[in-house]
Amino acid sequence: MSALGSLLVAAVVVAAAVLHLLAGVQHTGVLLLVTAVLCVVVVALASWGVRHAVARALEPVDRLQAEMAELGDTDLSRRVGVPPAGDGAEQLAGRVNELLGRLENAAEQRRAFIAGASHELRTPLTGLRTRIELALLDDPADSDLVDNLRRALGDAERLHQIVDDLLVLARLDSGDPPAGERLDLGALVEREVARQLPPIPVSVKAETGVMVTGSGVRLGRVLVNLLANAQRYAAARIEVAVRAEDGEAVVEVYDDGPGIPPADRERVFERFARLDSARSRDKGGSGLGLPIARQIAVAHGGRLYIADGPYGARLVLRLPLAR
């Protein structure tokens, strides 16, 4: 017998026993008062029992809901716990796990397609770029041929960049956690700036000892993407600042280009986003640099956003300081 049934039977037995004891009482008012009190007690016990039974019945559903809320977009390999056999939520949990399995398979197929397509495209693109470079070396006197080949080489390099970015996205979408090495963020910024030969010089103002935990390769990719974005739009000035602030490592990249309107500051982090402002003119980017940078920042427990600045665009990367 259920707890609720036992409680009701006990309440009825007690009420019957009390009424039997009072059967000899001659005063009608006393009988009515006792009867009313007994009715209130029985109703209260029944209400409490019903609430308790409903709460116990919904407990597996609440647990299922809490487990589903903990599932991340990139952690589709997890499954919710299945209640014991005979529980009403058992079938629901099974259906949820079946749905998660189908979503995981679809995500794996998408990642495999992106990785496979990217690898297949890289080979002909590399061959095309090599042949164009050789043709430029063989016949440098034909100006028309050289101009056309240079344009074709630029297109090939852009396609190559898109393919590389797709490969990075496929790895990020797989949800692999970043490495946990301690890094001096200021030194990493100075190293990435020194590797480049930009047409516009970059000035760096970095504090020493700004330590973070993460993947040097991936965080280096964030910095490269931010600098490449600034180079595409800057007129004559790019600045990078690194400092520690309120328990976070902060990297700010400024350029003196046309800037990004507040209404578009989230859209630039969408994949293949194109804006209508002066900053949307085709500058050779893949449309994936800033989305990749933000995804890497989030994977490291940080943020990447666009803030107001004294001029142009101001991109801000914030990461937790290493403890």
Side-chain angles (χ1 to χ4, degrees), residues 28-307:
T28 305
V30 175
L31 288 174
L32 290 176
L33 178 60
V34 173
T35 303
V37 171
L38 286 175
C39 290
V40 171
V41 171
V42 171
V43 170
L45 289 174
S47 300
W48 178 85
V50 169
R51 287 198 300 269
H52 180 70
V54 171
R56 289 193 60 185
L58 293 178
E59 186 177 333
V61 178
D62 293 337
R63 285 199 303 268
L64 178 61
Q65 182 179 0
E67 291 183 36
M68 292 179 64
E70 293 176 358
L71 296 177
D73 295 337
T74 59
D75 192 16
L76 296 176
S77 61
R78 290 182 55 186
R79 296 295 183 267
V80 298
V82 179
D87 197 304
E90 178 188 5
Q91 186 176 5
L92 176 60
R95 294 292 186 184
V96 169
N97 284 335
E98 290 178 8
L99 177 60
L100 289 173
R102 290 197 294 269
L103 290 174
E104 182 183 14
N105 290 335
E108 288 293 339
Q109 291 175 3
R110 184 192 66 174
R111 288 193 290 268
F113 169 76
I114 293 175
S118 300
H119 280 297
E120 290 296 326
L121 286 170
R122 290 184 82 178
T123 300
L125 283 173
T126 302
L128 173 63
R129 188 170 65 177
T130 301
R131 282 189 285 273
I132 292 173
E133 291 172 345
L134 291 175
L136 286 171
L137 293 174
D138 291 340
D139 193 1
D142 190 340
S143 59
D144 290 337
L145 175 62
V146 169
D147 182 64
N148 290 331
L149 288 176
R150 290 192 188 283
R151 291 176 181 271
L153 181 59
D155 292 338
E157 289 176 346
R158 183 174 180 184
L159 286 172
H160 204 282
Q161 180 184 355
I162 292 174
V163 170
D164 286 342
D165 286 344
L166 287 174
L167 282 172
V168 173
L169 284 175
R171 297 188 186 103
L172 292 174
D173 287 342
S174 67
D176 293 335
E181 56 181 321
R182 285 175 58 87
L183 302 166
D184 187 324
L185 197 56
L188 182 61
V189 169
E190 291 177 343
R191 185 165 61 248
E192 293 298 337
V193 171
R195 284 180 180 176
Q196 302 184 27
L197 296 174
I200 299 175
V202 180
S203 63
V204 179
K205 183 179 180 181
E207 293 181 1
T208 59
V210 180
M211 306 300 295
V212 297
T213 303
S215 167
V217 174
R218 291 189 180 181
L219 291 178
R221 182 62 180 257
V222 173
L223 299 171
V224 168
N225 288 3
L226 295 182
L227 291 171
N229 178 80
Q231 288 287 344
R232 278 194 291 272
Y233 300 105
R237 183 178 183 182
I238 297 175
E239 298 179 5
V240 182
V242 183
R243 67 180 185 277
E245 179 181 274
D246 298 330
E248 291 181 316
V250 182
V251 179
E252 295 182 332
V253 180
Y254 300 84
D255 69 67
D256 61 349
I260 303 174
D264 294 326
R265 290 180 180 177
E266 279 301 309
R267 280 217 303 137
V268 298
F269 294 105
E270 297 176 3
R271 298 177 182 183
F272 299 108
R274 288 290 183 266
L275 306 183
D276 297 329
S277 65
R279 202 172 173 91
S280 70
R281 292 192 300 269
D282 189 358
K283 298 283 187 175
S286 67
L288 295 172
L290 292 182
I292 287 174
R294 171 173 276 188
Q295 193 162 343
I296 294 175
V298 171
H300 284 76
R303 296 171 288 156
L304 177 63
Y305 58 93
I306 299 169

